[in-house]
Amino acid sequence: MKIALDAMGGDIAPKNPIGGLKLALKALPQVEKFYITGPREILEAELDLQEITERNRIEIVHAPQIVEMSDSGIDAVRKKKHSSITIAVDLVKQGECQAVISAGHTGASVTAGTLMLGRLSGVDFPGIASPMPNEHGICYLLDAGANPDASPQHLVQYAIMGSVYAQYVHGKPTPIVGLMNVGEEDTKGNSLSKETFALLKHAPINFRGNVEGHDIFETELDVIVCDGFTGNVILKSCEATAKAMFKWLKHEIEASFVRKMGAFLAKDAFRTIKKKGSYESYGGSPLLGVRGVVIIGHGSSSAVAIMNALRVGVEAVDHEVNPHIQNAITSHAFSHV
């Protein structure tokens, strides 16, 4: 297996992507070679700085252009054809690599994956499946930002793709799917949610019905479907809330010696909760619906998060996610002809 890594993607690049690569060289022995993209001189210097000696499993692919956060997704692909993300995606397109991982510009990753790799047959628009911590395991929020103007048909496709991903990657025989809404009743919601609900009842999935915000963390769910606008707001709100809660907790603990002693005794519990809610553990979010494996990491991804994003890419390839998604989408489309 060969994996492409956008070494210039992320807030702290190339340090963290290369750091993640260093960890992955040990953690992912099944990867024959890692292709890293970016300016050759910069990447060679970083490899030396981090004392990475296993160079026989690393191939630097020179990509002189850098995608800025101010660039639009379409400009990043069409005007910067030699950027680290476009070169990395092109490696998958040409069959040199089986997956690409980037913690850089999300819009550029989505656009490059969609335009350069193309969509699976029957998929109208790809979606980002973002893992969320849940009392019962991992719940995927889909779409988390790729398609803000989704139609009911798009959401049905997300439900099918997310269900397939949960089934084959996480071993869930009948993944539970919910539709994000403002209430559990069938009659609740706007026109998008009402039309989607009616379609999901007849889709080849284990559809639970409408779910609300609290269900993301409390209810046994494997996939929650929504449009990209709603999903991205939910995702960023949850991330900000988690950061704020830990900041407030730390402030209150440091307010007295007694609280500090109590926190010391409970430090293992705090570590466990922090790990469960940290994006580092989950690595990255797959862009489902494109002809290739594209994993999108958080912009502030640490080396550990990059390593886990690489692991997610390997898992998607190992479990042949795309062929399974293609079969499910094709079967559903055929049944509605």
Side-chain angles (χ1 to χ4, degrees):
M1 186 187 304
K2 298 176 181 179
I3 304 294
L5 171 63
D6 172 10
M8 298 307 294
D11 299 340
I12 309 176
K15 179 182 177 180
N16 286 358
I18 297 299
L21 169 65
K22 184 176 182 179
L23 296 174
L25 286 168
K26 295 181 179 180
L28 303 172
Q30 65 270 55
V31 179
E32 175 188 346
K33 183 163 288 189
F34 293 92
Y35 288 74
I36 57 175
T37 60
R40 183 177 297 277
E41 299 80 5
I42 293 176
L43 299 190
E44 287 179 343
E46 189 63 36
L47 288 170
D48 291 338
L49 183 64
Q50 298 198 33
E51 299 180 344
I52 297 177
T53 57
E54 200 174 347
R55 300 294 181 90
N56 62 310
R57 291 175 64 200
I58 301 171
E59 180 80 26
I60 297 176
V61 182
H62 184 54
Q65 294 178 304
I66 305 297
V67 173
E68 306 292 344
M69 292 307 294
S70 57
D71 293 331
S72 68
I74 194 70
D75 284 346
V77 174
R78 290 183 174 174
K79 295 183 179 181
K80 294 186 175 180
K81 297 183 182 297
H82 300 287
S83 71
S84 56
I85 181 60
T86 52
I87 294 296
V89 172
D90 191 57
L91 288 169
V92 175
K93 179 181 179 181
Q94 300 303 325
E96 294 289 335
C97 295
Q98 285 72 56
V100 56
I101 285 78
S102 176
H105 193 303
T106 299
S109 296
V110 172
T111 304
T114 304
L115 296 184
M116 296 176 66
L117 300 180
R119 297 163 294 175
L120 293 172
S121 179
V123 174
D124 295 320
F125 207 103
I128 300 172
S130 184
M132 304 286 284
N134 183 286
E135 287 183 12
H136 305 274
I138 297 177
C139 176
Y140 282 92
L141 186 69
L142 180 63
D143 169 38
N147 183 10
D149 299 311
S151 69
Q153 289 75 22
H154 294 162
L155 297 191
V156 172
Q157 292 170 12
Y158 294 156
I160 295 172
M161 293 192 292
S163 184
V164 168
Y165 190 86
Q167 179 181 355
Y168 288 97
V169 175
H170 294 284
K172 299 294 183 72
T174 55
I176 305 171
V177 180
L179 174 64
M180 181 55 65
N181 208 328
V182 295
E184 294 185 356
E185 297 83 2
D186 298 6
T187 56
K188 286 290 183 71
N190 55 17
S191 58
L192 173 63
S193 58
K194 290 177 181 177
E195 290 179 41
T196 303
F197 186 96
L199 294 175
L200 288 177
K201 287 196 298 184
H202 303 288
I205 57 171
N206 181 16
F207 182 46
R208 181 187 183 278
N210 289 328
V211 296
E212 300 178 73
H214 64 86
D215 290 305
I216 298 174
F217 308 103
E218 300 175 353
T219 305
E220 186 174 4
L221 293 163
D222 299 298
V223 180
I224 295 178
V225 179
C226 60
D227 63 275
F229 181 88
T230 301
N232 197 256
V233 170
I234 291 173
L235 180 63
K236 290 179 178 177
S237 296
C238 289
E239 289 176 350
T241 300
K243 288 182 181 178
M245 289 299 293
F246 274 102
K247 182 179 179 180
W248 297 340
L249 183 61
K250 182 180 179 181
H251 175 76
E252 292 301 325
I253 287 173
E254 293 177 345
S256 74
F257 176 76
V258 174
R259 290 180 182 178
K260 288 181 182 179
M261 290 302 298
F264 177 77
L265 294 174
K267 63 180 180 180
D268 286 342
F270 287 137
R271 283 200 194 104
T272 301
I273 293 173
K274 185 176 182 179
K275 183 178 180 182
K276 186 173 183 178
S278 173
Y279 66 87
E280 283 190 346
S281 304
Y282 306 109
S285 304
L287 178 66
L288 301 181
V290 295
R291 295 181 181 275
V293 174
V294 178
I295 307 299
I296 299 173
H298 198 287
S300 59
S301 288
S302 64
V304 172
I306 294 292
M307 185 274 289
N308 279 317
L310 289 163
R311 172 186 53 78
V312 171
V314 168
E315 290 174 347
V317 175
D318 276 342
H319 293 286
E320 299 182 322
V321 168
N322 276 350
H324 290 304
I325 286 177
Q326 184 65 84
N327 289 338
I329 292 290
T330 301
S331 297
H332 176 64
F334 181 78
S335 67
H336 283 72
V337 173

Short mmCIF file of all heavy atoms in Angstrom, two decimals, residues 4 6 37 61-63 65 67 72-97 100 102 105-120 125-126 287 289-294 322:
data_model
loop_
_atom_site.label_atom_id
_atom_site.label_comp_id
_atom_site.label_asym_id
_atom_site.label_seq_id
_atom_site.Cartn_x
_atom_site.Cartn_y
_atom_site.Cartn_z
N ALA A 4 -0.31 8.98 0.16
CA ALA A 4 0.17 10.34 -0.09
C ALA A 4 -0.17 11.24 1.09
O ALA A 4 -1.30 11.21 1.59
CB ALA A 4 -0.45 10.89 -1.37
N ASP A 6 -0.03 15.25 2.32
CA ASP A 6 0.18 16.67 2.04
C ASP A 6 1.00 17.23 3.20
O ASP A 6 0.46 17.57 4.26
CB ASP A 6 -1.18 17.38 1.92
CG ASP A 6 -1.06 18.88 1.82
OD1 ASP A 6 0.07 19.39 1.65
OD2 ASP A 6 -2.10 19.56 1.91
N THR A 37 4.29 15.47 -0.14
CA THR A 37 4.31 16.53 -1.14
C THR A 37 4.55 17.90 -0.51
O THR A 37 4.04 18.21 0.56
CB THR A 37 2.98 16.56 -1.92
OG1 THR A 37 1.89 16.82 -1.01
CG2 THR A 37 2.73 15.23 -2.62
N VAL A 61 7.79 14.26 -3.25
CA VAL A 61 7.30 14.71 -4.56
C VAL A 61 7.24 16.23 -4.51
O VAL A 61 6.45 16.81 -3.75
CB VAL A 61 5.91 14.12 -4.88
CG1 VAL A 61 5.46 14.57 -6.27
CG2 VAL A 61 5.94 12.59 -4.79
N HIS A 62 8.07 16.85 -5.28
CA HIS A 62 8.21 18.31 -5.24
C HIS A 62 6.91 19.01 -5.63
O HIS A 62 6.34 18.75 -6.70
CB HIS A 62 9.33 18.75 -6.18
CG HIS A 62 9.62 20.22 -6.14
ND1 HIS A 62 9.91 20.90 -4.97
CD2 HIS A 62 9.65 21.15 -7.14
CE1 HIS A 62 10.11 22.17 -5.25
NE2 HIS A 62 9.96 22.35 -6.55
N ALA A 63 6.44 19.89 -4.75
CA ALA A 63 5.24 20.69 -5.01
C ALA A 63 5.55 22.11 -4.52
O ALA A 63 5.44 22.40 -3.32
CB ALA A 63 4.03 20.12 -4.27
N GLN A 65 4.14 25.11 -4.90
CA GLN A 65 3.11 26.08 -4.55
C GLN A 65 2.42 25.71 -3.22
O GLN A 65 2.25 24.53 -2.90
CB GLN A 65 2.06 26.17 -5.66
CG GLN A 65 2.61 26.75 -6.96
CD GLN A 65 1.54 26.79 -8.04
OE1 GLN A 65 0.94 25.77 -8.38
NE2 GLN A 65 1.32 27.98 -8.61
N VAL A 67 -1.04 26.40 -0.82
CA VAL A 67 -2.42 26.89 -0.77
C VAL A 67 -2.61 27.71 0.50
O VAL A 67 -2.34 27.23 1.60
CB VAL A 67 -3.43 25.72 -0.80
CG1 VAL A 67 -4.85 26.24 -0.59
CG2 VAL A 67 -3.33 24.96 -2.10
N SER A 72 -9.77 30.33 -2.49
CA SER A 72 -11.01 29.55 -2.56
C SER A 72 -10.63 28.13 -2.96
O SER A 72 -9.55 27.88 -3.50
CB SER A 72 -11.96 30.15 -3.59
OG SER A 72 -11.44 29.98 -4.91
N GLY A 73 -11.52 27.19 -2.70
CA GLY A 73 -11.25 25.81 -3.06
C GLY A 73 -10.99 25.63 -4.54
O GLY A 73 -10.07 24.93 -4.95
N ILE A 74 -11.79 26.29 -5.35
CA ILE A 74 -11.67 26.14 -6.80
C ILE A 74 -10.38 26.79 -7.32
O ILE A 74 -9.71 26.26 -8.21
CB ILE A 74 -12.91 26.73 -7.53
CG1 ILE A 74 -12.95 26.26 -8.98
CG2 ILE A 74 -12.96 28.23 -7.42
CD1 ILE A 74 -13.25 24.81 -9.14
N ASP A 75 -10.01 27.95 -6.74
CA ASP A 75 -8.76 28.61 -7.15
C ASP A 75 -7.55 27.77 -6.74
O ASP A 75 -6.55 27.72 -7.46
CB ASP A 75 -8.65 30.00 -6.51
CG ASP A 75 -9.55 31.01 -7.20
OD1 ASP A 75 -10.03 30.72 -8.31
OD2 ASP A 75 -9.76 32.11 -6.63
N ALA A 76 -7.65 27.13 -5.56
CA ALA A 76 -6.53 26.31 -5.09
C ALA A 76 -6.24 25.17 -6.04
O ALA A 76 -5.09 24.75 -6.19
CB ALA A 76 -6.86 25.76 -3.69
N VAL A 77 -7.27 24.67 -6.70
CA VAL A 77 -7.09 23.54 -7.61
C VAL A 77 -6.75 24.00 -9.02
O VAL A 77 -5.84 23.45 -9.66
CB VAL A 77 -8.36 22.66 -7.64
CG1 VAL A 77 -8.26 21.56 -8.69
CG2 VAL A 77 -8.61 22.05 -6.26
N ARG A 78 -7.45 25.01 -9.50
CA ARG A 78 -7.27 25.43 -10.90
C ARG A 78 -6.09 26.37 -11.11
O ARG A 78 -5.46 26.36 -12.18
CB ARG A 78 -8.56 26.08 -11.40
CG ARG A 78 -9.69 25.07 -11.57
CD ARG A 78 -10.94 25.70 -12.12
NE ARG A 78 -11.97 24.68 -12.40
CZ ARG A 78 -13.21 24.97 -12.78
NH1 ARG A 78 -13.58 26.23 -12.95
NH2 ARG A 78 -14.08 23.99 -13.00
N LYS A 79 -5.79 27.20 -10.13
CA LYS A 79 -4.72 28.17 -10.29
C LYS A 79 -3.41 27.74 -9.65
O LYS A 79 -2.36 28.34 -9.90
CB LYS A 79 -5.15 29.53 -9.72
CG LYS A 79 -6.32 30.15 -10.47
CD LYS A 79 -6.67 31.52 -9.90
CE LYS A 79 -7.83 32.16 -10.67
NZ LYS A 79 -8.17 33.51 -10.13
N LYS A 80 -3.47 26.73 -8.79
CA LYS A 80 -2.25 26.23 -8.14
C LYS A 80 -2.14 24.73 -8.39
O LYS A 80 -2.29 23.91 -7.47
CB LYS A 80 -2.26 26.56 -6.66
CG LYS A 80 -2.20 28.06 -6.38
CD LYS A 80 -2.05 28.37 -4.90
CE LYS A 80 -1.86 29.87 -4.68
NZ LYS A 80 -1.70 30.20 -3.24
N LYS A 81 -1.89 24.39 -9.64
CA LYS A 81 -1.83 22.98 -10.03
C LYS A 81 -0.60 22.25 -9.49
O LYS A 81 -0.50 21.03 -9.58
CB LYS A 81 -1.87 22.86 -11.56
CG LYS A 81 -3.16 23.39 -12.18
CD LYS A 81 -3.16 23.19 -13.68
CE LYS A 81 -4.43 23.77 -14.32
NZ LYS A 81 -5.65 23.09 -13.84
N HIS A 82 0.35 23.03 -8.95
CA HIS A 82 1.56 22.42 -8.40
C HIS A 82 1.65 22.63 -6.88
O HIS A 82 2.74 22.69 -6.32
CB HIS A 82 2.81 22.99 -9.09
CG HIS A 82 2.83 22.76 -10.56
ND1 HIS A 82 3.06 21.52 -11.12
CD2 HIS A 82 2.61 23.60 -11.60
CE1 HIS A 82 3.00 21.60 -12.44
NE2 HIS A 82 2.72 22.85 -12.76
N SER A 83 0.49 22.72 -6.24
CA SER A 83 0.47 22.85 -4.78
C SER A 83 0.58 21.47 -4.15
O SER A 83 0.39 20.44 -4.81
CB SER A 83 -0.83 23.52 -4.32
OG SER A 83 -1.93 22.64 -4.49
N SER A 84 0.87 21.43 -2.86
CA SER A 84 1.05 20.16 -2.16
C SER A 84 -0.22 19.33 -2.16
O SER A 84 -0.16 18.09 -2.26
CB SER A 84 1.52 20.41 -0.73
OG SER A 84 0.61 21.26 -0.03
N ILE A 85 -1.40 19.95 -2.09
CA ILE A 85 -2.64 19.17 -2.07
C ILE A 85 -2.99 18.66 -3.46
O ILE A 85 -3.40 17.49 -3.61
CB ILE A 85 -3.82 19.98 -1.45
CG1 ILE A 85 -5.10 19.14 -1.42
CG2 ILE A 85 -4.05 21.28 -2.19
CD1 ILE A 85 -5.00 17.87 -0.62
N THR A 86 -2.84 19.48 -4.49
CA THR A 86 -3.20 19.01 -5.83
C THR A 86 -2.25 17.91 -6.30
O THR A 86 -2.68 16.94 -6.93
CB THR A 86 -3.21 20.17 -6.84
OG1 THR A 86 -1.97 20.88 -6.77
CG2 THR A 86 -4.34 21.14 -6.57
N ILE A 87 -0.98 18.04 -5.98
CA ILE A 87 -0.01 17.00 -6.36
C ILE A 87 -0.31 15.71 -5.60
O ILE A 87 -0.24 14.61 -6.16
CB ILE A 87 1.43 17.47 -6.08
CG1 ILE A 87 1.80 18.66 -6.99
CG2 ILE A 87 2.41 16.32 -6.26
CD1 ILE A 87 1.84 18.32 -8.46
N ALA A 88 -0.67 15.83 -4.32
CA ALA A 88 -0.97 14.65 -3.51
C ALA A 88 -2.21 13.92 -4.05
O ALA A 88 -2.22 12.69 -4.17
CB ALA A 88 -1.18 15.05 -2.06
N VAL A 89 -3.25 14.68 -4.38
CA VAL A 89 -4.46 14.06 -4.93
C VAL A 89 -4.18 13.45 -6.30
O VAL A 89 -4.71 12.38 -6.63
CB VAL A 89 -5.61 15.10 -5.02
CG1 VAL A 89 -6.81 14.52 -5.75
CG2 VAL A 89 -6.03 15.54 -3.62
N ASP A 90 -3.33 14.11 -7.07
CA ASP A 90 -3.00 13.58 -8.40
C ASP A 90 -2.29 12.23 -8.30
O ASP A 90 -2.43 11.39 -9.20
CB ASP A 90 -2.12 14.58 -9.15
CG ASP A 90 -1.96 14.21 -10.63
OD1 ASP A 90 -2.99 14.09 -11.32
OD2 ASP A 90 -0.82 14.00 -11.06
N LEU A 91 -1.54 12.01 -7.23
CA LEU A 91 -0.88 10.71 -7.03
C LEU A 91 -1.91 9.60 -6.92
O LEU A 91 -1.70 8.48 -7.39
CB LEU A 91 0.00 10.75 -5.79
CG LEU A 91 1.30 11.57 -5.89
CD1 LEU A 91 1.92 11.75 -4.52
CD2 LEU A 91 2.28 10.90 -6.85
N VAL A 92 -3.04 9.91 -6.28
CA VAL A 92 -4.13 8.93 -6.17
C VAL A 92 -4.81 8.77 -7.53
O VAL A 92 -5.11 7.66 -7.96
CB VAL A 92 -5.15 9.36 -5.09
CG1 VAL A 92 -6.34 8.39 -5.06
CG2 VAL A 92 -4.49 9.42 -3.73
N LYS A 93 -5.02 9.89 -8.21
CA LYS A 93 -5.66 9.84 -9.52
C LYS A 93 -4.86 8.98 -10.50
O LYS A 93 -5.43 8.22 -11.29
CB LYS A 93 -5.80 11.26 -10.07
CG LYS A 93 -6.44 11.32 -11.46
CD LYS A 93 -6.53 12.75 -11.97
CE LYS A 93 -7.14 12.80 -13.36
NZ LYS A 93 -7.21 14.20 -13.87
N GLN A 94 -3.53 9.09 -10.44
CA GLN A 94 -2.67 8.35 -11.37
C GLN A 94 -2.44 6.91 -10.93
O GLN A 94 -1.79 6.13 -11.64
CB GLN A 94 -1.32 9.06 -11.50
CG GLN A 94 -1.40 10.48 -12.03
CD GLN A 94 -2.09 10.57 -13.38
OE1 GLN A 94 -1.96 9.68 -14.22
NE2 GLN A 94 -2.82 11.66 -13.61
N GLY A 95 -2.98 6.54 -9.76
CA GLY A 95 -2.82 5.17 -9.29
C GLY A 95 -1.52 4.90 -8.57
O GLY A 95 -1.22 3.75 -8.22
N GLU A 96 -0.74 5.96 -8.32
CA GLU A 96 0.52 5.79 -7.60
C GLU A 96 0.28 5.51 -6.12
O GLU A 96 1.06 4.81 -5.47
CB GLU A 96 1.40 7.04 -7.75
CG GLU A 96 1.89 7.30 -9.15
CD GLU A 96 2.94 6.29 -9.59
OE1 GLU A 96 3.62 5.72 -8.71
OE2 GLU A 96 3.06 6.06 -10.81
N CYS A 97 -0.80 6.10 -5.58
CA CYS A 97 -1.14 5.93 -4.16
C CYS A 97 -2.60 5.51 -4.04
O CYS A 97 -3.41 5.76 -4.94
CB CYS A 97 -0.92 7.23 -3.39
SG CYS A 97 0.82 7.73 -3.31
N VAL A 100 -5.01 9.66 0.14
CA VAL A 100 -4.34 10.94 0.37
C VAL A 100 -4.85 11.53 1.68
O VAL A 100 -6.05 11.47 1.98
CB VAL A 100 -4.56 11.93 -0.80
CG1 VAL A 100 -6.04 12.14 -1.07
CG2 VAL A 100 -3.88 13.27 -0.52
N SER A 102 -4.66 15.04 4.22
CA SER A 102 -4.27 16.45 4.31
C SER A 102 -4.98 17.11 5.48
O SER A 102 -6.18 16.89 5.70
CB SER A 102 -4.62 17.20 3.02
OG SER A 102 -4.32 18.59 3.16
N HIS A 105 -6.20 23.19 3.84
CA HIS A 105 -7.41 23.88 3.41
C HIS A 105 -8.51 22.86 3.09
O HIS A 105 -8.40 22.09 2.12
CB HIS A 105 -7.05 24.69 2.17
CG HIS A 105 -8.06 25.71 1.75
ND1 HIS A 105 -9.37 25.40 1.47
CD2 HIS A 105 -7.92 27.05 1.54
CE1 HIS A 105 -10.01 26.49 1.11
NE2 HIS A 105 -9.15 27.51 1.14
N THR A 106 -9.58 22.84 3.88
CA THR A 106 -10.65 21.86 3.67
C THR A 106 -11.31 22.02 2.30
O THR A 106 -11.57 21.04 1.60
CB THR A 106 -11.73 21.97 4.77
OG1 THR A 106 -11.12 21.71 6.04
CG2 THR A 106 -12.85 20.97 4.54
N GLY A 107 -11.57 23.26 1.92
CA GLY A 107 -12.19 23.51 0.63
C GLY A 107 -11.35 23.00 -0.52
O GLY A 107 -11.87 22.45 -1.50
N ALA A 108 -10.03 23.15 -0.41
CA ALA A 108 -9.13 22.67 -1.44
C ALA A 108 -9.14 21.15 -1.51
O ALA A 108 -9.13 20.56 -2.59
CB ALA A 108 -7.71 23.17 -1.19
N SER A 109 -9.18 20.50 -0.35
CA SER A 109 -9.21 19.03 -0.30
C SER A 109 -10.50 18.50 -0.91
O SER A 109 -10.48 17.53 -1.69
CB SER A 109 -9.08 18.54 1.14
OG SER A 109 -7.82 18.88 1.68
N VAL A 110 -11.63 19.13 -0.57
CA VAL A 110 -12.92 18.71 -1.11
C VAL A 110 -12.97 18.94 -2.62
O VAL A 110 -13.38 18.05 -3.38
CB VAL A 110 -14.08 19.45 -0.43
CG1 VAL A 110 -15.41 19.16 -1.13
CG2 VAL A 110 -14.17 19.06 1.05
N THR A 111 -12.52 20.10 -3.05
CA THR A 111 -12.57 20.44 -4.48
C THR A 111 -11.63 19.55 -5.28
O THR A 111 -11.99 19.04 -6.35
CB THR A 111 -12.20 21.92 -4.70
OG1 THR A 111 -13.07 22.74 -3.93
CG2 THR A 111 -12.33 22.29 -6.16
N ALA A 112 -10.41 19.35 -4.77
CA ALA A 112 -9.45 18.50 -5.48
C ALA A 112 -9.96 17.07 -5.55
O ALA A 112 -9.89 16.42 -6.60
CB ALA A 112 -8.09 18.55 -4.78
N GLY A 113 -10.49 16.58 -4.44
CA GLY A 113 -11.02 15.22 -4.43
C GLY A 113 -12.17 15.04 -5.39
O GLY A 113 -12.27 14.03 -6.09
N THR A 114 -13.04 16.04 -5.46
CA THR A 114 -14.23 15.96 -6.31
C THR A 114 -13.89 16.12 -7.79
O THR A 114 -14.31 15.32 -8.63
CB THR A 114 -15.26 17.02 -5.89
OG1 THR A 114 -15.57 16.87 -4.51
CG2 THR A 114 -16.54 16.89 -6.71
N LEU A 115 -13.13 17.17 -8.11
CA LEU A 115 -12.84 17.47 -9.51
C LEU A 115 -11.77 16.57 -10.12
O LEU A 115 -11.88 16.15 -11.27
CB LEU A 115 -12.42 18.93 -9.66
CG LEU A 115 -13.48 19.99 -9.31
CD1 LEU A 115 -12.92 21.38 -9.60
CD2 LEU A 115 -14.76 19.77 -10.09
N MET A 116 -10.75 16.26 -9.34
CA MET A 116 -9.63 15.50 -9.89
C MET A 116 -9.89 14.00 -9.88
O MET A 116 -9.53 13.28 -10.82
CB MET A 116 -8.35 15.82 -9.11
CG MET A 116 -7.90 17.28 -9.26
SD MET A 116 -6.45 17.67 -8.24
CE MET A 116 -5.21 16.64 -9.03
N LEU A 117 -10.51 13.51 -8.82
CA LEU A 117 -10.78 12.07 -8.72
C LEU A 117 -12.12 11.70 -9.33
O LEU A 117 -12.30 10.59 -9.82
CB LEU A 117 -10.73 11.62 -7.26
CG LEU A 117 -9.41 11.83 -6.53
CD1 LEU A 117 -9.52 11.33 -5.09
CD2 LEU A 117 -8.26 11.13 -7.25
N GLY A 118 -13.06 12.64 -9.27
CA GLY A 118 -14.41 12.35 -9.76
C GLY A 118 -15.25 11.65 -8.70
O GLY A 118 -14.74 11.18 -7.68
N ARG A 119 -16.55 11.62 -8.94
CA ARG A 119 -17.48 11.02 -7.98
C ARG A 119 -17.76 9.57 -8.34
O ARG A 119 -17.70 9.18 -9.51
CB ARG A 119 -18.79 11.80 -7.96
CG ARG A 119 -18.64 13.24 -7.49
CD ARG A 119 -19.85 14.06 -7.87
NE ARG A 119 -19.95 14.20 -9.32
CZ ARG A 119 -20.97 14.78 -9.95
NH1 ARG A 119 -21.98 15.27 -9.26
NH2 ARG A 119 -20.98 14.86 -11.25
N LEU A 120 -18.08 8.78 -7.32
CA LEU A 120 -18.54 7.43 -7.57
C LEU A 120 -19.84 7.49 -8.35
O LEU A 120 -20.62 8.44 -8.19
CB LEU A 120 -18.75 6.68 -6.25
CG LEU A 120 -17.50 6.40 -5.41
CD1 LEU A 120 -17.89 5.84 -4.04
CD2 LEU A 120 -16.58 5.43 -6.14
N PHE A 125 -22.98 14.41 -4.83
CA PHE A 125 -22.03 15.32 -4.19
C PHE A 125 -21.40 14.60 -3.00
O PHE A 125 -22.11 14.01 -2.20
CB PHE A 125 -22.73 16.60 -3.71
CG PHE A 125 -21.84 17.80 -3.64
CD1 PHE A 125 -21.89 18.78 -4.62
CD2 PHE A 125 -20.92 17.94 -2.60
CE1 PHE A 125 -21.05 19.88 -4.56
CE2 PHE A 125 -20.08 19.04 -2.54
CZ PHE A 125 -20.15 20.03 -3.52
N PRO A 126 -20.07 14.61 -2.89
CA PRO A 126 -19.43 13.93 -1.76
C PRO A 126 -19.70 14.64 -0.44
O PRO A 126 -20.08 15.82 -0.42
CB PRO A 126 -17.94 13.98 -2.12
CG PRO A 126 -17.81 15.17 -3.01
CD PRO A 126 -19.09 15.23 -3.81
N LEU A 287 -13.67 11.82 3.16
CA LEU A 287 -14.54 12.47 2.17
C LEU A 287 -15.18 11.34 1.38
O LEU A 287 -14.54 10.73 0.51
CB LEU A 287 -13.74 13.39 1.26
CG LEU A 287 -14.52 14.09 0.15
CD1 LEU A 287 -15.52 15.08 0.72
CD2 LEU A 287 -13.56 14.81 -0.82
N GLY A 289 -17.66 9.39 -1.22
CA GLY A 289 -18.34 9.62 -2.49
C GLY A 289 -17.43 9.91 -3.65
O GLY A 289 -17.90 10.06 -4.78
N VAL A 290 -16.11 9.99 -3.41
CA VAL A 290 -15.17 10.25 -4.51
C VAL A 290 -14.44 8.97 -4.88
O VAL A 290 -14.38 8.02 -4.10
CB VAL A 290 -14.15 11.35 -4.14
CG1 VAL A 290 -14.85 12.67 -3.93
CG2 VAL A 290 -13.35 10.96 -2.90
N ARG A 291 -13.87 8.97 -6.08
CA ARG A 291 -13.18 7.77 -6.60
C ARG A 291 -11.75 7.71 -6.05
O ARG A 291 -10.77 7.86 -6.78
CB ARG A 291 -13.16 7.80 -8.12
CG ARG A 291 -14.53 7.69 -8.76
CD ARG A 291 -14.44 7.69 -10.28
NE ARG A 291 -15.75 7.61 -10.89
CZ ARG A 291 -16.41 6.46 -11.11
NH1 ARG A 291 -15.85 5.32 -10.76
NH2 ARG A 291 -17.60 6.47 -11.67
N GLY A 292 -11.65 7.49 -4.81
CA GLY A 292 -10.36 7.43 -4.14
C GLY A 292 -10.58 7.70 -2.67
O GLY A 292 -11.65 8.15 -2.26
N VAL A 293 -9.56 7.42 -1.85
CA VAL A 293 -9.68 7.66 -0.41
C VAL A 293 -9.03 9.01 -0.08
O VAL A 293 -7.83 9.20 -0.31
CB VAL A 293 -9.01 6.53 0.39
CG1 VAL A 293 -9.01 6.87 1.88
CG2 VAL A 293 -9.73 5.21 0.14
N VAL A 294 -9.85 9.93 0.42
CA VAL A 294 -9.38 11.25 0.81
C VAL A 294 -9.73 11.45 2.28
O VAL A 294 -10.90 11.38 2.66
CB VAL A 294 -10.03 12.37 -0.02
CG1 VAL A 294 -9.56 13.75 0.44
CG2 VAL A 294 -9.74 12.17 -1.51
N ASN A 322 -14.72 2.10 -0.74
CA ASN A 322 -15.33 2.63 -1.97
C ASN A 322 -16.09 1.59 -2.79
O ASN A 322 -17.20 1.87 -3.26
CB ASN A 322 -14.28 3.33 -2.82
CG ASN A 322 -14.05 4.77 -2.38
OD1 ASN A 322 -14.80 5.30 -1.57
ND2 ASN A 322 -13.01 5.40 -2.89
#
